[in-house]
Amino acid sequence: MTRPFAPGFRIPPDLLLRAYATGVFPMAEHADDPEVFWVRPEMRGVIPLDGFHVPRSLRKFMRRDPYEIRYDCDFGGVIDACAEPAPSRQETWINAPIREAYTALFERGHCHTVEAWLEGQLVGGLYGVTLGRAFFGESMFSRMENASKVCLVHLVERLKARGFVLLDTQFTTPHLKRFGAIDVPRRRYERLLAEALEGSAAF
């Protein structure tokens, strides 16, 4: 981790993209913190697209086709929901500078959402950054059963179909490991990133 920006600092979108291209991403201590710090983990979480695993119970759930899946329809709604406290996440790192910066990336076509809708309501989703053939997952939320998990499955299907080669999760969790997430050392991650930045893919 590196030093924080000064309070109230705005993250220029070009700087944010350059950071991702070098394996760095921003975080904040909590939503009300005006400062942002940069993170470059020694061990990086990734989900190998060819090793993605859908648990049997989720496959059974998805056969019911419970949600309407949309892409890039309500970025504001998704990042707002990701910033809300949840039973497993009492505080969020999505503060004002981060919200502003990723909104700018969305407007430029470098940030995308996968959204689960039910009866006209946004009930789950995720968002992340695209650069080259890489997708950098940022956050996800769920207000209904398995909603974020369903979005993750659809994300992977879309990435594979559209020529992406890297799905970065920043860190791993027991939840993500159920889907095949692994930790890779920084040097190996940088090789994967360099390969992903060669060429382009359209989300």
Side-chain angles (χ1 to χ4, degrees), residues 108-163:
R108 289 185 176 201
H110 279 288
C111 197
H112 299 277
T113 63
V114 183
E115 306 160 12
W117 291 76
L118 180 65
E119 298 178 352
Q121 299 295 315
L122 179 64
V123 298
L126 59 84
Y127 76 95
V129 173
T130 57
L131 196 61
R133 297 182 295 160
F135 186 96
F136 306 88
E138 283 296 318
S139 189
M140 60 175 57
F141 78 97
S142 188
R143 292 171 174 159
M144 296 288 289
E145 182 182 7
N146 291 329
S148 62
K149 297 176 184 177
V150 171
C151 288
L152 178 60
V153 173
H154 282 274
L155 170 67
V156 171
E157 291 175 351
R158 193 173 184 90
L159 297 181
K160 293 170 70 173
R162 301 202 170 198

Side-chain angles (χ1 to χ4, degrees), residues 4-77:
F5 285 127
F9 191 88
R10 301 175 72 177
I11 309 171
D14 289 337
L15 173 63
L16 186 52
L17 290 176
R18 289 198 300 272
Y20 275 100
T22 59
V24 179
F25 56 89
M27 295 188 74
E29 291 293 345
H30 52 78
D32 296 327
D33 190 345
E35 297 184 340
V36 175
F37 59 87
W38 295 98
V39 184
R40 189 181 182 215
E42 289 294 334
M43 298 294 291
R44 193 72 167 240
V46 302
I47 297 180
L49 294 176
D50 58 358
F52 184 68
H53 170 71
V54 182
R56 181 180 301 176
S57 59
L58 182 59
R59 290 199 303 268
K60 182 178 179 181
F61 179 83
M62 291 185 67
R63 283 197 290 269
R64 291 158 39 193
D65 197 21
Y67 305 120
E68 176 190 355
I69 301 300
R70 303 179 189 176
Y71 301 91
D72 293 346
C73 287
D74 188 1
F75 178 79

